[in-house]
Amino acid sequence: MERSPTTSGRSKRESPSLVEQTHRRKRRRIVTVESEIHVHENRYEISSSSSRRWGSSSHCNDERQRRRSKTEFVDSYRKWVFSPHDCSRYKDRVVIVSYNILGVENALKHPYLYHQVRPQFLNWDWRKKLIRKELNHYKPDILCFQEVDHFSDLADLLQKDGFKGVYKVRTGKANDGCAVFWKEELFTLLHQESIEFQKFSLSDNVAQLCVLKMVNSHSDSNRCANSQIPQSTPSRSILVVNIHVLYNPKRGDIKLGQVRLLLERAHAISQEWGNIPVVIAGDLNSMPQSPIYQFLASSSLDILLHDRRKISGQIEHERGSRPLTAQLEDAHSDQVPISKLLAYRWSEEELRLAAGCDGVTQLQHHLKLSSAYTGIPGSYHTRDNCGEPLATSYHSKFMGTVDYIWHSQGLLPVGVVETLPVNILRETRGLPSEKWGSDHLALVCELAFVDDSRVT
């Protein structure tokens, strides 16, 4: 019995041809590949004020990207994401990078951390070229590096891109240190000093504090246009702080003491230069939401509520033990007496190192700080529940976040560069890699001076 077109479900004229079917299958494959590659998409439109620096992807670029392999797409995950708020009225801005670039000697001394990394990718001549190429992509104004042990080499390389820098080497046997670079055409160095923590019995780490002034800021133009503003008022200045905190997870007393001392000095310098805004960048060797992180964010910390061995959140808890955060949650719900939490034993010497003087157990600082990344909403593929990156460092023994950029109230985050999704990081089997020149990922943010009518 012959079926009519209405009962057969589709007429012969409506049936797709073999060519059309093939085309559709190819299109489906393209869409599938795109969905695998683009694990995370920016959820916010790039504002017109931000596009002047980075622009947006064109249809032609998308077509070229579709033809690349998945491995070639690794760098496309590191994209700018921007504030959902209108920041166009804030004209004076600065792009800051914090980057632990992996000391050459450190890589040689700890080969077990990089046993899955090809030797070529650990070679400094290879890595420094990747680092420079990556930095040029971000178009930074200020660079904060940690684990620098080839400063002259790095300075010569960055000089080609218009940067000038200062360096502070660690005390003791280690040869690496911290370095701050700035674009000479954009900033002038007004003041610099460093902290040698060894002088305070706080290990051999160091920190840098640099006051930089914008050469040509919008506040300059406003001052010239308004004769009522004193001509002696200085232009936009910013205090840039760079630190590499002690690694040893068990010495929370020293780690906390380093952070406490740094915050004290940063606040003092900010006041000396007219309450200028502060940026604190570096490898803090502390996990998000750890007691050290909370101290930075909340400006206070009760030392006796925390185990010094877990104050940075780095140590994995022993099998069967409960995390300190869970204990604190129980304390708030009256399930565990506070007196039990106060049982952590701190010696008088440990308390003195952490607090800076005898008899003090409650720490406070006067800088009202915010983490740049938590100020810009991002993708769940790269951020934790609090907005911090899921991972800023990855080698055979560790994957997690220890690097940060903090800023004071005088600055507002306009945008940040997303870190790599964890699944993409795992595909590298460890950093450095063919694409990335360190075992850390660079943190990048654009910060705006929040009041363009007020000259600091």
Side-chain angles (χ1 to χ4, degrees), residues 24-38:
R24 290 179 183 178
R25 283 197 297 269
K26 289 182 177 179
R27 181 57 187 165
R28 281 197 296 271
R29 284 199 296 270
I30 292 175
V31 171
T32 301
V33 171
E34 285 181 304
S35 65
E36 291 177 354
I37 291 174
H38 296 285

Side-chain angles (χ1 to χ4, degrees), residues 388-423:
E388 291 292 358
L390 289 171
T392 65
S393 179
Y394 177 40
H395 52 64
S396 64
K397 299 296 183 181
F398 177 79
M399 177 188 285
T401 293
V402 292
D403 305 278
Y404 305 90
I405 298 178
W406 294 82
H407 63 88
S408 67
Q409 283 188 319
L411 299 165
L412 180 73
V414 176
V416 298
V417 173
E418 288 284 28
T419 51
L420 292 176
V422 170
N423 63 310

Side-chain angles (χ1 to χ4, degrees), residues 44-56 82-91 93 414 446:
Y44 304 99
E45 295 291 333
I46 299 177
S47 65
S48 58
S49 62
S50 300
S51 62
R52 63 180 172 80
R53 185 183 294 271
W54 301 285
S56 58
F82 297 93
S83 172
H85 306 293
D86 181 13
C87 300
S88 59
R89 65 185 181 277
Y90 304 127
K91 305 301 182 182
R93 304 183 181 187
V414 176
E446 182 181 36

Side-chain angles (χ1 to χ4, degrees), residues 243 245-246 255 259 280 282-286 296 402-404 406:
I243 186 173
V245 171
L246 175 71
K255 295 159 81 79
V259 173
I280 298 176
D283 180 348
L284 299 183
N285 270 314
S286 303
L296 285 157
V402 292
D403 305 278
Y404 305 90
W406 294 82

